[in-house]
Amino acid sequence: MNPAELPTARDIVGFWRQAGPERWFAKNEAFDAQFRERFLAAHEAAAHGELDHWAQGAEGALALLVLLDQFPRNTWRGNARMLATDAKALAIARQAIEAGLDLKTDEELRRFFYLPFMHSESLDDQQRSVELNAALDANTQRFAVLHRDIIARFGRFPHRNKLLGRTSSAEEQRFLDEGGFAG
């Protein structure tokens, strides 16, 4: 697709803002299909680095994080592809936070600068997630602590094992069987 035909950062952030918390983290096939249809080409461009220049501003960085961290989770649920751009999202989040771009964003949307840390299987990233999310609402902070505690306990997210072809340890399987976090 011609870059001029891609949605703008403003289009992406506007769509995401309008979707709101009731759609951001819910499994909704109709919303996922709409998200995929409108922004698949932009996701692919972002994944290939064609939109990296957006990371220089708050709105552009936020749009990239939605495209690289949230879009895959809605588009490829239950498929390892949903994690394929996590490292790129984390790199952009680090850069944006270092530049203070997260603080130039509405608090409700600021969490999307921090989610790549929460999605990481690195304990250092998880600790950073807890620190960053401490300034947000209690529910977001609760999830940050939950994610960190899972990584501290297992060194990875057991609910990703099957998806990534990893063998679960007996302790991980017990955790999952007892209703452990499902992602």
Side-chain angles (χ1 to χ4, degrees):
M1 177 177 275
N2 177 340
E5 297 173 2
L6 289 174
T8 65
R10 177 163 287 157
D11 294 335
I12 294 158
V13 171
F15 172 84
W16 199 244
R17 183 187 309 276
Q18 185 176 9
E22 61 278 351
R23 290 193 195 95
W24 291 339
F25 304 113
K27 293 179 181 172
N28 178 318
E29 289 181 26
F31 175 72
D32 292 351
Q34 180 186 22
F35 196 11
R36 181 174 42 256
E37 181 180 319
R38 286 192 61 186
F39 300 111
L40 178 61
H43 164 78
E44 290 173 349
H48 291 102
E50 296 167 22
L51 304 177
D52 285 358
H53 61 282
W54 285 7
Q56 301 309 308
E59 185 174 61
L62 176 58
L64 284 171
L65 293 169
V66 168
L67 288 174
L68 296 168
D69 188 69
Q70 296 302 298
F71 179 89
R73 285 171 165 75
N74 287 72
T75 300
W76 297 293
R77 293 181 192 275
N79 180 309
R81 188 172 178 190
M82 69 184 261
L83 307 173
T85 52
D86 280 6
K88 186 163 182 64
L90 185 59
I92 289 168
R94 284 186 205 288
Q95 175 187 341
I97 291 164
E98 179 70 26
L101 300 179
D102 57 322
L103 301 178
K104 295 179 180 180
T105 304
D106 295 346
E107 187 173 312
E108 185 175 52
L109 293 171
R110 195 172 301 156
R111 72 185 77 205
F112 296 102
F113 285 87
Y114 308 154
L115 277 171
F117 293 89
M118 195 184 300
H119 292 148
S120 171
E121 289 188 321
S122 158
L123 187 55
D124 288 342
D125 291 339
Q126 288 296 323
Q127 188 55 43
R128 184 74 173 127
S129 169
V130 170
E131 293 164 6
L132 290 164
N133 283 292
L136 301 180
D137 64 274
N139 192 49
T140 301
Q141 178 65 356
R142 181 177 66 84
F143 276 102
V145 170
L146 173 65
H147 282 74
R148 185 218 37 218
D149 290 351
I150 292 169
I151 295 299
R153 180 175 173 187
F154 300 109
R156 61 188 186 174
F157 291 118
H159 66 274
R160 291 184 183 173
N161 289 347
K162 184 176 180 181
L163 183 73
L164 296 174
R166 303 186 302 209
T167 302
S168 293
S169 69
E171 184 182 0
E172 287 174 329
Q173 192 58 54
R174 192 168 32 261
F175 172 75
L176 293 170
D177 290 346
E178 292 171 357
F181 188 71

